[in-house]
Amino acid sequence: MRTNLSRQKKNRIILLDDEEIVMPIKPITAFFDAAWLPDQLKMLKKWRNDVSFEANHPLKSSPSDRLYDYELTMKVIEAAWLIRKKTIGKLDIDSGEIDIIVEWCIKKEKKGMRDYPTHLAADEIINPVKVLRRVFKTFKLRHYHAILKNWLYDSLSQKYMEDSLSKEEIIAVYENLVRLFEAMWLIKERNKASA
């Protein structure tokens, strides 16, 4: 009992308010209202570069922008944590369908969507919640809280802080977040279309 309680405490929602906890699509929509998928991916890549490479130049983004990016990113991660066990954003295709039918459905959807994922497998495009489950299998919510807080501090620091995270950890988190952003984009777009 105590272990389960401590696990729940460690993986707690910190940034979402009560309304966002009840309706996790709200922070997802807010995330992509702030910037479309390609711009969010650019922001993430720049943030990763600020953290993983020693920069001799001053920060290009303001500290307030970086804090804003951190809060939006953590909110979308917390929303993903809440919906990871739900059925949301899934295309109406069985996983056992013939590949050609799956490809046709994806191609049709891609034509009608402004931006489309490039880092997800076909089964993840069909059911983007699979991505969320996989992302949280690697790192739990509490890990993302700690890691992205380090990213925030490291990216705002004038000194290179190589000891805080290894490059392998940075790359793994970055790749997970790219896939998570793309999955959340699909969920948002499909939710908008069905509403």
Side-chain angles (χ1 to χ4, degrees):
M1 170 110 164
R2 180 167 245 213
T3 307
N4 190 26
L5 184 61
S6 68
R7 231 182 286 138
Q8 286 176 345
K9 274 182 160 180
K10 288 180 183 177
N11 286 317
R12 68 183 189 272
I13 302 301
I14 296 171
L15 294 174
L16 297 181
D17 62 32
D18 292 342
E19 187 178 347
E20 292 169 328
I21 290 170
V22 172
M23 296 186 66
I25 198 70
K26 285 188 173 210
I28 299 167
T29 302
F31 183 76
F32 291 112
D33 284 348
W36 289 79
L37 178 62
D39 294 329
Q40 291 292 14
L41 293 173
K42 284 178 194 171
M43 174 277 301
L44 184 63
K45 186 173 186 177
K46 183 177 177 341
W47 193 8
R48 179 210 60 192
N49 289 344
D50 285 347
V51 171
S52 61
F53 304 111
E54 184 173 4
N56 294 329
H57 55 81
L59 292 174
K60 290 184 181 173
S61 59
S62 73
S64 62
D65 288 346
R66 186 48 49 91
L67 180 60
Y68 179 71
D69 293 339
Y70 163 77
E71 288 179 355
L72 276 179
T73 301
M74 278 312 310
K75 280 186 165 202
V76 86
I77 291 170
E78 288 181 355
W81 177 261
L82 292 174
I83 64 172
R84 74 191 188 285
K85 293 183 180 176
K86 298 183 180 187
T87 304
I88 183 171
K90 184 179 184 297
L91 285 178
D92 193 20
I93 302 173
D94 292 328
S95 58
E97 289 287 343
I98 303 170
D99 288 344
I100 196 156
I101 295 172
V102 170
E103 287 177 32
W104 179 83
C105 289
I106 290 172
K107 190 180 271 189
K108 183 180 176 197
E109 181 182 52
K110 189 176 185 177
K111 284 181 184 178
M113 211 176 277
R114 179 174 178 231
D115 300 303
Y116 210 74
T118 57
H119 297 90
L120 302 182
D123 68 318
E124 295 171 331
I125 290 173
I126 291 169
N127 186 5
V129 173
K130 283 184 177 184
V131 174
L132 309 183
R133 291 181 192 131
R134 291 171 181 159
V135 162
F136 289 116
K137 198 174 235 185
T138 311
F139 299 102
K140 301 295 182 211
L141 179 60
R142 66 183 178 274
H143 297 123
Y144 285 106
H145 278 290
I147 290 167
L148 290 184
K149 189 180 276 188
N150 278 345
W151 278 33
L152 176 64
Y153 294 159
D154 288 358
S155 67
L156 295 176
S157 174
Q158 296 295 337
K159 297 178 182 173
Y160 182 56
M161 304 172 85
E162 188 173 349
D163 295 336
S164 60
L165 287 173
S166 72
K167 293 214 193 280
E168 292 81 20
E169 289 173 312
I170 292 169
I171 291 168
V173 170
Y174 171 75
E175 289 173 351
N176 276 351
L177 291 178
V178 165
R179 296 175 69 248
L180 182 131
F181 285 11
E182 288 188 346
M184 296 304 260
W185 173 258
L186 283 176
I187 290 168
K188 177 212 168 257
E189 289 295 299
R190 290 174 183 165
N191 188 63
K192 181 176 73 175
S194 68

